[in-house]
Amino acid sequence: QGDRSIALKLFRRDTRDPKGYARFRAEMKITTRFRHPNIVKVYEVGVWRSACYIAMELLSGLDLFDWLRSKGGRAPLLELQPLRVQALGGLHAAHGIGVIHRDIRPRNLFIVDGGTRCKVMDFGLAVAVILDATIIRMVLVPASMELLGDRNWYFPSWLEWLPKISIEGNHER
């Protein structure tokens, strides 16, 4: 559709990671549902040759981690507050259509427009749920007892009640 730069997220279909492939296919379905200014825009999803792809807007800026690092690790509250509100707006919109991100951390929040706008990205661990407490509990603690993502951003209570969980196939000792 016209001349626009895009970012491509690819996953080879012939990979030996069936769980990763299943998560990518779920991300393909989930991301096409979003229409919110604080969630990265997805233009198209599909399969081409041996790869599944998500074509999305190409963002110009830094993720929150690098943005904060560029400011010496700190930013004034007056600068951070609007970004926080925007990130929460994107998450609220996702929750409104039954999608839980499950991997919110500084690397998945992208700061654009010279530090004035925040976009939520990377819904690779997201799930679509029926908004019911029983279902949400099953999502947060899957039957396999496998929690995915960066353990540095888990709720402390998860680590307290599940001291020996599998994290992306690696078992704690």
Side-chain angles (χ1 to χ4, degrees), residues 12-13 19 26 33 49 82-83 86 89 91-92 99 112 119 129 133 139 149 156:
R12 290 177 49 117
R13 289 189 328 183
K19 286 182 181 178
R33 298 171 62 189
R49 295 193 183 177
L83 300 174
Q86 292 170 32
L91 292 173
H92 180 72
V99 175
V112 297
K119 290 201 171 232
V129 296
V139 168

Side-chain angles (χ1 to χ4, degrees), residues 29-112:
K29 290 177 186 168
I30 287 170
T31 57
T32 59
R33 298 171 62 189
F34 299 127
R35 298 287 180 270
H36 192 274
N38 298 112
I39 297 176
V40 66
K41 283 183 196 144
V42 171
Y43 300 121
E44 181 180 322
V45 299
V47 179
W48 184 73
R49 295 193 183 177
S50 65
C52 296
Y53 68 88
I54 300 172
M56 63 190 92
E57 71 179 307
L58 180 62
L59 300 176
S60 180
L62 298 169
D63 65 43
L64 180 60
F65 182 88
D66 289 335
W67 184 79
L68 285 170
R69 190 167 29 173
S70 76
K71 296 180 166 295
R74 294 177 177 226
L77 183 59
L78 289 175
E79 232 176 308
L80 286 174
Q81 179 63 12
L83 300 174
R84 182 179 75 154
V85 169
Q86 292 170 32
L88 291 173
L91 292 173
H92 180 72
H95 292 176
I97 59 171
V99 175
I100 299 173
H101 189 286
R102 297 197 313 169
D103 194 23
I104 286 299
R105 55 192 171 110
R107 291 281 188 204
N108 290 335
L109 298 172
F110 208 84
I111 310 304
V112 297

